[in-house]
Amino acid sequence: MAAVVVAIAGRTYRMSCEAGEEQRIEELARYVESKIESMRESFGEIGEQRIIVMAALAIADEATDARAKAQATEAEFAALRAELDAARKANDAASALAAKALGDATRRIVKLNGELSPPAASPDDGL
């Protein structure tokens, strides 16, 4: 198990994590710290605990919005996949009809060609 030390709101914390996750934990800690600093700039010194709670709520709000957008995107993706499947089925059906029509037309042309062509001359004809 790996560990990383992060600083949030003027305090350092040793965090355990899986090997290779250290950079991600550090990035997340920097993001939390930036939210705290943003709250501090907006509201001034209203108490460390209150600033931290407000930052946590802001981050939770962002996460909730992101989750809702992801769910909407998943629903849209599912609808598009259903449309694509329906379009493929319609295309397959149209292709089958076109192939049948082409086959029917070919048979009619061959038949008409046979009916309109003069019979082939045999060696006994006219000589």
Side-chain angles (χ1 to χ4, degrees), residues 31-87:
Y31 185 71
V32 169
E33 181 65 21
S34 74
K35 277 292 178 190
I36 291 169
E37 286 304 313
S38 175
M39 294 291 165
R40 207 175 263 130
E41 289 172 8
S42 295
F43 301 105
E45 289 299 327
I46 59 171
E48 195 68 24
Q49 186 122 12
R50 180 179 266 172
I51 290 288
I52 292 170
V53 169
M54 290 173 66
L57 290 172
I59 292 168
D61 185 48
E62 291 173 1
T64 300
D65 287 348
R67 208 172 296 116
K69 286 179 186 176
Q71 289 172 342
T73 300
E74 287 174 6
E76 184 178 349
F77 181 74
L80 289 172
R81 180 171 295 284
E83 284 182 39
L84 177 62
D85 289 344

Side-chain angles (χ1 to χ4, degrees), residues 53-126:
V53 169
M54 290 173 66
L57 290 172
I59 292 168
D61 185 48
E62 291 173 1
T64 300
D65 287 348
R67 208 172 296 116
K69 286 179 186 176
Q71 289 172 342
T73 300
E74 287 174 6
E76 184 178 349
F77 181 74
L80 289 172
R81 180 171 295 284
E83 284 182 39
L84 177 62
D85 289 344
R88 283 183 177 154
K89 286 178 184 175
N91 184 51
D92 290 347
S95 293
L97 285 173
K100 183 182 180 316
L102 182 60
D104 291 346
T106 301
R107 282 187 287 283
R108 280 185 262 149
I109 289 170
V110 167
K111 182 180 174 189
L112 284 172
N113 189 40
E115 291 173 359
L116 295 176
S117 296
S122 68
D124 296 335
D125 288 345

